[in-house]
């Protein structure tokens, strides 16, 4: 899928925010095209929820502009931004039924203040027709979410999963230009989480809004999103497709954050010619700059090799279709993803090497350094 | 059964442990209440043996113009004080919550009447409302209005006492409303803003007011009970006068019992008072169970 930039989606440019002397957002820019699903992924406290609140207009940033649906909305009230949000706590109105909760965004927009008045409002011209249309829209949204029989219940009488659907329905009922979700699955149990993931993606496709989905769960981000924005300490480190984020991280922090089990890290040095050395042996790799570097390699890209390095088995985990072998190579701890029938015993020495094409190099500043392959120099 | 013995021992232990509380409850609350109820059906003057007269006290109350006046005055007083002090308390709580600065200062200022001694404050009010030297009438004179004799005219005395009552109760209600406001999740108001409630009034109507329901019910009941109990301002400032224009329930009870020493009749008035308070509490619990509970 390809998306045109700013084709009526949502974008943030140069957002900065400091709260109580602590920088929360440091010059954050991000854009989500119409119909695109972007996951904002980061550890808790990295500023991802604050960024979402700035986009919704609940929090005003110190600097930066927000555009939604092709309009600049930086100074507009949340109600005028054409944005809908699902809160982590769902934030359903406890005194209203599920149907009334879903109807709120419509009644606030389609009915005048007089028409919303209890008792008297029902007598005003046009209010009966408007209310009937709202009831129809609510039913149309609620039915595919399986909320039909629950519409007359109050949030207190609904399960966590049902509340979550009501919150989703309330957000999409008025077909907003931008759709924000703040960790919507974090209060659900594991089984429900996986099924709800698909439902959210389906709702997103149906609504066609620019969707920004905040999560700290990388499997959610990688499975659901068209693109993933990895955020840490108030900065977006990388915004790219899930595959690109996994295969080609531009920053050591991204490489470390994405992937389970985590990526393997080894200290290597590049001599003045750029030749890389690991533990006194030359690697078939060149780097553009000399000095100490960090070599990162995914567990599935490590392999058994009779000519490789000696590594001691610390322990092994059998996981059905594969096994994870924890190894020690010098001072580094490595994880190797092996076939399930490999029986490694602790204390045993294995010989390992890695696919040079899959190696990622990072400088001491954490930035990516290009690695060039060459024929192994015979020592 | 074999377990019965230790259970029984446990039950005895429990009774023994509650004995001090149970005893003091019986001696200090239950017995005096029962004695007052019994006295309400007697003619009892201090020093004489009580005579059982059945419902005669209540019949007298029904026909006594003084009591009817006092009952009506109490209703008017409650009818003024309860809605005004609840409304003012809510307004103050909302203003203080919305303000960025001076929260603690304003809270303390408006709570002051609650913690200060009413009798002492009453003399301050006496000065403020004095027809000739009082600042209230001085202010009115400045804009060309001749102020009334607030506390000594039968037309204005009840309104003046009600104003003092509002001043006394509003701060208390404000603190209760502030507690209620902090219990409303901030995310709900934010959700309301995103859902299209653009003005503060719309957010109040959609979220704050309905969620304050339980608090409001409690505040209304407690204010009604507190204002039915009005006594000290009346005793200090007007003594029920002029011409019984500010006679209220508890003041009548006090004069009947302690000035005229008609303890039986006074006990009967107390019973009426108790019935009203219990009735209010019953209404509160019933409504609370049915309407404003979100479970």
């Amino acid at each position: 899928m390809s998306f045109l930039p700013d084709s009526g989606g949502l974008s943030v440019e140069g957002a900065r925010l400091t709260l109580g002397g602590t920088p929360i957002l440091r010059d954050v820019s991000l854009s989500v095209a119409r119909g695109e699903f972007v996951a904002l992924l980061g550890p808790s406290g990295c500023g991802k929820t604050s960024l979402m609140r700035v986009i919704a207009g609940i929090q005003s940033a110190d600097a930066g502009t927000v555009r939604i649906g092709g309009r600049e909305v930086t100074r507009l009230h949340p109600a005028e931004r054409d944005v809908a949000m699902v809160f982590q706590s769902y934030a359903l109105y406890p005194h209203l039924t599920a149907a009334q909760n879903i109807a709120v965004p419509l009644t606030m927009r389609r009915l005048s203040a007089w028409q919303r008045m209890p008792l008297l409002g029902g007598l005003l011209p046009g209010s009966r027709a408007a209310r009937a249309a709202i009831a129809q829209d609510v039913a149309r949204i609620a039915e595919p979410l399986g909320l039909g029989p629950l519409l007359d219940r109050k949030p207190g009488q609904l399960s966590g999963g049902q509340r979550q659907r009501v919150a989703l329905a309330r957000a999409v009922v008025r077909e907003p230009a931008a759709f924000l979700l703040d960790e919507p699955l974090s209060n659900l149990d594991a089984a429900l989480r996986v099924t709800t993931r698909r439902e959210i993606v389906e709702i997103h496709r149906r609504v066609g809004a620019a969707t920004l989905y905040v999560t700290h769960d990388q499997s959610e981000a990688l499975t659901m999103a068209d693109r993933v924005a990895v955020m840490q300490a108030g900065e977006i480190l990388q915004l790219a497709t899930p595959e690109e984020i996994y295969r080609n991280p531009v920053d050591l922090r991204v490489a470390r954050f994405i992937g389970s089990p985590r990526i393997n890290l080894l200290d290597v040095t590049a001599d003045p010619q750029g030749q890389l050395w690991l533990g006194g042996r030359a690697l078939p790799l060149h780097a553009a700059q000399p000095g100490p570097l960090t070599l990162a390699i995914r567990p599935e890209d490590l392999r058994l090799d009779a000519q490789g390095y000696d590594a001691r088995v610390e322990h092994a985990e059998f996981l059905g279709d594969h096994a994870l072998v924890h190894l020690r190579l010098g001072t580094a701890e490595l994880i190797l993803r092996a076939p399930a029938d490999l029986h490694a015993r602790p204390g045993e020495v294995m010989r390992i090497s890695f696919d040079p094409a899959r190696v990622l190099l990072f400088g001491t500043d954490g930035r990516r350094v290009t690695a060039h392959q060459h024929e192994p120099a015979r020592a | 059964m074999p377990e019965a013995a230790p259970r029984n021992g446990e039950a005895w232990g429990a009774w023994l442990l509650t004995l001090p509380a149970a005893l003091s409850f019986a001696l200090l609350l239950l017995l005096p209440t029962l004695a007052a109820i019994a006295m309400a059906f007697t003619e009892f003057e201090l020093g004489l043996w009580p005579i059982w007269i059945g419902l005669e006290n209540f019949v007298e109350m029904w026909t006594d113009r003084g009591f009817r006046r006092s009952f009506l005055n109490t209703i008017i007083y409650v009818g003024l004080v309860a809605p005004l002090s609840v409304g003012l308390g809510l307004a103050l709580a909302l203003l203080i919550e919305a303000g960025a600065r001076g929260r603690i200062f304003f809270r303390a200022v408006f709570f002051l009447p609650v913690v200060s001694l009413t009798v002492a404050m009453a003399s301050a009010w006496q000065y403020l409302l004095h027809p000739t030297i009082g600042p209230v009438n001085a202010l009115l004179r400045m804009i060309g209005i001749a102020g009334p004799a607030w506390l000594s005219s039968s037309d204005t005395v009840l309104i003046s006492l009600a104003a003092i009552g509002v001043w006394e109760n509003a701060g208390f209600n404000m603190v209760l409303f502030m507690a209620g406001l902090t219990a409303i999740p901030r995310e709900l108001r934010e959700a309301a803003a995103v859902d299209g409630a653009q003005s503060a009034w719309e957010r109040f109507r959609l979220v704050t007011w309905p969620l304050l329901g339980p608090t409001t019910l409690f505040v209304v009941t407690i204010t009604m009970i507190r204002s039915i109990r009005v006594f000290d301002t009346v005793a200090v400032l007007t003594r029920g006068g002029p011409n019984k224009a500010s006679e209220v329930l508890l003041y009548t009870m006090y004069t009947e019992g302690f000035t005229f020493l008609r303890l039986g009749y006074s006990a009967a008035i107390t019973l009426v008072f108790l019935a009203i308070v219990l009735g209010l509490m019953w209404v509160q619990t019933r409504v609370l169970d049915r309407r404003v509970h979100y479970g």
Side-chain angles (χ1 to χ4, degrees):
Chain A
M1 251 188 281
S2 72
F3 301 98
L4 295 169
D6 204 17
S7 58
L10 106 84
S11 72
V12 183
E13 218 163 287
R16 287 170 198 277
L17 175 66
T18 303
L19 288 178
T22 318
I24 307 289
L25 300 176
R26 308 166 196 255
D27 195 14
V28 173
S29 297
L30 169 81
S31 74
V32 185
R34 189 162 57 196
E36 192 185 18
F37 192 119
V38 169
L40 189 55
L41 174 67
S44 46
C46 72
K48 53 193 195 304
T49 295
S50 299
L51 178 58
M52 180 159 280
R53 292 163 59 86
V54 164
I55 295 170
I58 300 166
Q59 172 78 52
S60 57
D62 302 335
T65 53
V66 180
R67 300 176 67 82
I68 292 172
R71 290 185 305 151
E72 204 205 308
V73 297
T74 316
R75 307 240 165 271
L76 294 186
H77 186 272
E80 303 167 306
R81 291 192 175 200
D82 202 8
V83 56
M85 184 161 171
V86 175
F87 290 80
Q88 190 174 2
S89 65
Y90 312 145
L92 297 178
Y93 309 115
H95 56 292
L96 301 180
T97 63
Q100 288 168 326
N101 262 287
I102 300 170
V104 164
L106 300 179
T107 48
M108 295 313 283
R109 282 179 173 76
R110 293 192 196 160
L111 297 181
S112 69
W114 290 107
Q115 286 176 323
R116 283 199 301 271
M117 289 261 288
L119 300 173
L120 187 78
L123 304 171
L124 290 174
S127 111
R128 182 166 296 200
R131 282 194 185 273
I134 288 171
Q136 249 175 15
D137 285 348
V138 169
R140 184 175 49 78
I141 290 288
E143 221 39 70
L145 284 166
L147 290 171
L150 307 171
L151 284 176
D152 290 329
R153 297 212 195 153
K154 293 200 171 164
Q157 301 162 304
L158 298 173
S159 73
Q162 292 165 341
R163 282 183 216 181
Q164 211 259 354
R165 280 150 207 263
V166 174
L168 279 173
R170 182 178 70 181
V172 295
V173 72
R174 62 163 213 266
E175 292 164 8
F179 186 26
L180 309 175
L181 297 107
D182 187 7
E183 308 233 9
L185 304 184
S186 61
N187 292 335
L188 300 183
D189 59 62
L192 206 50
R193 232 179 259 192
V194 176
T195 54
T196 315
R197 264 187 213 174
R198 229 188 46 216
E199 274 177 6
I200 290 178
V201 173
E202 273 163 21
I203 289 173
H204 157 75
R205 293 223 180 95
R206 218 167 42 227
V207 177
T211 299
L212 185 64
Y213 182 99
V214 163
T215 180
H216 65 267
D217 182 338
Q218 50 169 306
S219 61
E220 274 175 30
L222 296 177
T223 53
M224 296 169 81
D226 297 318
R227 287 193 299 159
V228 177
V230 181
M231 193 165 180
Q232 245 171 56
E235 282 180 273
I236 289 182
L237 301 175
Q238 190 170 5
L239 173 57
T241 62
E243 199 185 349
E244 188 75 4
I245 293 273
Y246 187 77
R247 282 283 157 225
N248 253 326
V250 296
D251 193 295
L252 182 56
R253 288 173 288 175
V254 177
R256 275 216 287 239
F257 190 69
I258 304 288
S260 173
R262 56 165 185 76
I263 199 162
N264 295 304
L265 301 176
L266 289 161
D267 293 327
V268 295
T269 36
D271 63 22
Q273 285 76 47
Q275 168 66 45
L276 285 185
W277 296 81
L278 170 63
R281 282 172 69 173
L283 292 168
L285 287 165
H286 259 83
Q289 64 182 72
L293 295 169
T294 301
L295 183 154
I297 182 94
R298 297 274 175 208
E300 64 271 26
D301 298 327
L302 281 180
R303 61 189 178 205
L304 298 171
D305 180 352
Q307 257 88 59
Y309 291 85
D310 283 345
R312 183 177 297 276
V313 176
E314 303 252 282
H315 78 116
E317 293 167 313
F318 174 72
L319 289 159
D321 62 332
H322 68 278
L324 294 176
V325 185
H326 294 246
L327 299 161
R328 181 169 287 278
L329 176 67
T331 55
E333 282 175 47
L334 303 178
I335 299 173
L336 172 136
R337 189 188 155 114
D341 54 7
L342 180 99
H343 296 287
R345 268 175 299 278
E348 196 181 312
V349 172
M350 294 172 97
R351 299 210 138 178
I352 56 158
S353 68
F354 39 75
D355 183 353
R358 297 290 202 178
V359 159
L360 306 168
L361 286 180
F362 298 94
T364 44
D365 59 353
R367 301 262 165 212
R368 183 76 177 273
V369 174
T370 326
H372 301 284
Q373 275 184 71
H374 61 78
E375 280 306 300
R378 293 283 161 204
Chain B
M1 275 190 290
E3 307 120 70
R7 261 228 202 124
N8 233 341
E10 212 170 284
W12 273 109
W15 278 111
L16 204 66
L17 286 169
T18 48
L19 193 64
L23 211 62
S24 58
F25 172 75
L27 281 176
L28 299 173
L29 282 169
L30 211 54
L31 271 179
T33 311
L34 289 175
I37 291 173
M39 267 162 64
F41 298 94
T42 63
E43 190 176 325
F44 179 29
E45 284 175 33
L46 217 55
L48 298 174
W49 195 246
I51 307 156
W52 187 265
I53 53 164
L55 290 172
E56 229 170 86
N57 279 332
F58 296 93
V59 174
E60 187 192 335
M61 221 186 283
W62 185 249
T63 51
D64 180 2
R65 284 186 57 202
F67 174 79
R68 277 158 85 170
R69 184 74 207 255
S70 146
F71 193 78
L72 194 68
N73 280 346
T74 310
I75 290 174
I76 293 170
Y77 180 85
V78 173
L80 286 170
V81 171
L84 287 175
S85 67
V86 170
L88 192 62
L90 177 61
L92 288 172
L94 289 170
L95 281 175
I96 292 174
E97 277 295 313
R101 267 179 291 173
R103 211 177 268 217
I104 293 166
F105 172 75
F106 285 114
R107 199 165 50 192
V109 165
F110 291 110
F111 196 63
L112 215 55
V114 184
V115 291
S116 55
L117 203 61
T118 315
V119 177
M121 287 297 137
S123 6
W125 278 102
Q126 196 163 30
Y127 162 69
L128 285 172
L129 296 175
H130 193 280
T132 48
I133 62 164
V136 171
N137 277 2
L139 272 174
L140 286 178
R141 266 197 300 279
M142 276 168 64
I143 55 168
I145 297 172
W150 293 105
L151 288 169
S152 44
S153 147
S154 53
D155 295 333
T156 54
V157 65
L158 213 50
I159 293 169
S160 307
L161 287 173
I164 300 172
V166 170
W167 171 82
E168 258 189 300
N169 283 297
F172 188 64
N173 294 345
M174 170 202 75
V175 170
L176 293 175
F177 275 123
M178 284 177 84
L181 284 174
T182 51
I184 298 175
R186 201 183 50 173
E187 285 200 335
L188 277 184
R189 259 170 274 175
E190 293 170 352
V194 176
D195 281 344
Q198 204 170 332
S199 67
W201 169 248
E202 284 174 332
R203 283 195 293 283
F204 177 77
R205 282 280 298 129
L206 181 61
V207 174
T208 313
W209 178 245
L211 289 182
L212 271 182
T215 311
T216 309
L217 181 68
F218 174 72
V219 170
V220 167
T221 321
I222 203 90
T223 312
M224 285 174 81
I225 291 174
R226 278 165 62 93
S227 47
I228 284 172
R229 285 190 332 202
V230 60
F231 174 75
D232 28 16
T233 46
V234 176
V236 173
L237 293 174
T238 67
R239 293 170 194 241
N243 196 20
K244 300 216 174 206
S246 63
E247 277 270 346
V248 289
L249 214 50
L250 280 202
Y251 192 75
T252 310
M253 184 199 91
Y254 165 79
T255 45
E256 291 292 346
F258 296 91
T259 313
F260 307 132
L261 300 177
R262 300 176 60 207
L263 292 181
Y265 190 57
S266 171
I269 298 176
T270 313
L271 221 55
V272 170
F273 173 75
L274 193 69
I276 295 170
V277 171
L278 285 176
L280 283 173
M281 280 164 63
W282 182 77
V283 168
Q284 189 209 357
T285 44
R286 288 307 293 263
V287 177
L288 197 63
D289 281 349
R290 280 200 192 157
R291 292 236 17 242
V292 284
H293 200 261
Y294 304 126

